Amino acid sequence: MNADSATPARWRLVEIWGDTADLGHLAWSIVIGVAVSLAGYLVASRVLASVVSTPELARAYAMLAGLGGCVVSGVICAKLFAPKREVVEGTDPDPRWREEVLAELAGEHGDLGSVADLPPSVVREMKELEIYDLFASHKPRARASGSTEGAAP
């Protein structure tokens, strides 16, 4: 039953520019965006045509009103349609995954160095992000060339 109830929602989700969107909400957002921004442009164009001395200036200001309508429609859509992702904090991922990432970083950029060499502001930020201990406990793999550069005495 759970698989059947999840299947209809799954096909409605699409990835656009690296983000996940519901097709129905995306369509409504486009409609709302077009309606609000076009209405802002047309109303401002009509009002400004009688107020501003040149028609070109009236059109330019009307376009600004249309852009303002885009911002307003973005706010409306943000209130109407909740995000489709869940962010879960506080769960500990597999420590092997972290070690693999550190090994990949060391492979791409060379030795990661020591956290003792970092400025206090960076150390403070790493502690806030709860990644300081990960980097402090990281032991670089021994190189095949037998180099002991940077090894502790």
Side-chain angles (χ1 to χ4, degrees):
M1 184 171 169
N2 287 344
D4 293 336
S5 63
T7 304
R10 177 181 246 168
W11 69 268
R12 293 183 57 185
L13 297 178
V14 294
E15 185 174 335
I16 299 173
W17 296 327
D19 204 355
T20 304
D22 182 300
L23 281 174
H25 292 174
L26 179 62
W28 275 109
S29 296
I30 291 170
V31 168
I32 291 169
V34 168
V36 172
S37 60
L38 186 60
Y41 171 78
L42 293 174
V43 167
S45 180
R46 181 74 71 145
V47 169
L48 292 172
S50 62
V51 176
V52 178
S53 60
T54 62
E56 293 83 16
L57 192 57
R59 279 195 297 273
Y61 284 137
M63 282 193 274
L64 283 176
L67 287 174
C70 290
V71 172
V72 169
S73 67
V75 170
I76 291 170
C77 292
K79 295 289 185 185
L80 289 177
F81 309 120
K84 305 299 177 271
R85 71 176 78 83
E86 292 181 28
V87 177
V88 180
E89 293 184 21
T91 59
D92 292 330
D94 186 5
R96 289 176 293 173
W97 175 81
R98 288 182 168 184
E99 288 298 324
E100 289 173 9
V101 170
L102 287 176
E104 185 178 325
L105 279 172
E108 290 177 3
H109 304 288
D111 186 24
L112 294 179
S114 171
V115 292
D117 299 333
L118 296 172
S121 61
V122 174
V123 171
R124 187 172 46 254
E125 186 173 352
M126 288 176 73
K127 287 181 179 180
E128 287 174 6
L129 295 171
E130 299 177 0
I131 59 172
Y132 178 82
D133 294 334
L134 173 68
F135 282 89
S137 65
H138 177 67
K139 304 285 187 249
R141 294 180 183 167
R143 294 182 178 173
S145 64
S147 171
T148 58
E149 184 181 343

